[in-house]
Amino acid sequence: MNKVFLIDIGNSSIDVGVGSKRGVRFLFKLSASEDSFPWLRQKLGNRGENSYLIFSSVVPSLSKSLRFFLKKNFLILECGKEVQIPIRNLYYKKKEVGQDRLLNCFAARQLYEKTRVVVDLGTALTFDFISEAGEYLGGLIVPGASLSRKALLQRAALLPQEVRFRPPKNLIAKTTAGCINAGIYFGYSLMIKGVLDYYRRKLKNDFVSLGCGGDIRYISLKLSSLDYLEPYLSLKGLYLLAKYRNII
């Protein structure tokens, strides 16, 4: 059975999966560091000259490291270079848009045909909009939940240095850590809802919205008005792209 390894390199973490005719399977998550690749090479092993690895990256230095450490182990295809994502890009400067955003929109439309908005909560919170015809329209970029929390704790002298996230039960918290958690949980959930509600009014019709990203756990599906959650949407996108290219 043909297999293809799938790697999504983000600013904070690297997701690794594998795809076959049976579907896609998440394997593990690594820190977004050059130090991760020697271990990854040992873990994946030498699969032979006919084994494919397809990846997307928003960190050029890590793209180079992946190629350096794994070029003898796989036939490597990178989104935006060896393989193009089959979605029409309506950005004014097309090279400015991250391949991860195009990949997510491609995957979302393949999984849920009526998707018009993809909300990705990672290092950044991004909203990506898709036309009815399946074109990439552009979007919004906001600092992500973890990044905002980290900046807040670093810059406010009287706040604790560490706050572990726990979904709050109530809007009004009665401890400082609880207030921060509630601010992240309700703030990001309602921000997402606000953008989606505004866009629905603008379009004057309903649509499918999809949430993804490593920090999507910080929000409420109900409060945000998102229709679906796909935490590993990028890996599924790489898998669908491999099928599109007849690699699997």
Side-chain angles (χ1 to χ4, degrees):
M1 179 180 296
N2 292 334
K3 289 184 179 180
V4 58
F5 283 90
L6 317 165
I7 297 181
D8 174 38
I9 300 176
N11 288 296
S12 302
S13 62
I14 300 171
D15 290 336
V16 182
V18 62
S20 69
K21 291 183 178 180
R22 292 181 178 176
V24 60
R25 180 165 57 95
F26 173 77
L27 294 179
F28 43 78
K29 185 183 293 287
L30 305 169
S31 63
S33 165
E34 293 183 4
D35 296 335
S36 296
F37 290 108
W39 180 89
L40 182 60
R41 177 174 60 184
Q42 182 178 8
K43 183 71 174 178
L44 297 184
N46 192 337
R47 300 282 171 167
E49 60 182 15
N50 293 322
S51 293
Y52 283 92
L53 184 153
I54 184 168
F55 80 100
S56 174
S57 174
V58 297
V59 187
S61 62
L62 296 183
S63 301
K64 293 179 181 178
S65 295
L66 181 147
R67 289 179 180 274
F68 176 79
F69 283 102
L70 298 177
K71 63 184 178 181
K72 294 183 180 179
N73 301 62
F74 298 94
L75 294 170
I76 295 176
L77 302 176
E78 181 178 358
C79 292
K81 293 188 177 180
E82 290 86 1
V83 58
Q84 300 300 316
I85 299 168
I87 186 170
R88 189 182 180 201
N89 179 5
L90 299 185
Y91 233 48
Y92 290 146
K93 296 181 179 180
K94 298 187 185 337
K95 291 185 178 180
E96 283 188 355
V97 62
Q99 292 296 307
D100 58 327
R101 298 172 71 185
L102 296 177
L103 182 65
N104 283 343
C105 289
F106 163 71
R109 290 288 286 200
Q110 293 293 310
L111 294 172
Y112 308 97
E113 186 179 357
K114 294 184 179 180
T115 302
R116 298 292 298 274
V117 185
V118 177
V119 180
D120 187 350
L121 185 52
T123 303
L125 167 62
T126 59
F127 296 82
D128 290 302
F129 298 87
I130 308 167
S131 74
E132 189 173 4
E135 303 155 316
Y136 177 75
L137 297 175
L140 308 173
I141 301 177
V142 181
S146 293
L147 184 62
S148 295
R149 184 181 60 184
K150 183 177 180 181
L152 176 66
L153 297 180
Q154 288 178 341
R155 297 299 297 272
L158 293 180
L159 293 181
Q161 293 298 302
E162 284 287 338
V163 174
R164 293 184 62 186
F165 179 75
R166 292 183 177 84
K169 295 180 180 179
N170 302 302
L171 175 66
I172 301 174
K174 298 185 181 297
T175 66
T176 298
C179 287
I180 294 171
N181 279 331
I184 295 292
Y185 183 80
F186 288 103
Y188 276 84
S189 297
L190 295 174
M191 179 183 0
I192 292 169
K193 174 178 169 53
V195 172
L196 295 178
D197 286 351
Y198 176 83
Y199 196 53
R200 284 191 177 95
R201 291 194 299 270
K202 183 178 177 67
L203 290 183
K204 296 182 180 179
N205 63 21
D206 207 1
F207 54 79
V208 169
S209 59
L210 182 64
C212 63
D215 285 347
I216 202 68
R217 66 187 184 280
Y218 288 132
I219 62 100
S220 162
L221 180 60
K222 183 177 180 180
L223 283 175
S224 67
S225 296
L226 286 166
D227 295 305
Y228 300 101
L229 293 185
E230 291 281 357
Y232 299 109
L233 182 64
S234 293
L235 288 182
K236 289 188 176 182
L238 291 170
Y239 170 72
L240 292 167
L241 194 55
K243 290 186 69 175
Y244 180 84
R245 287 287 301 268
N246 294 316
I247 295 170
I248 297 176

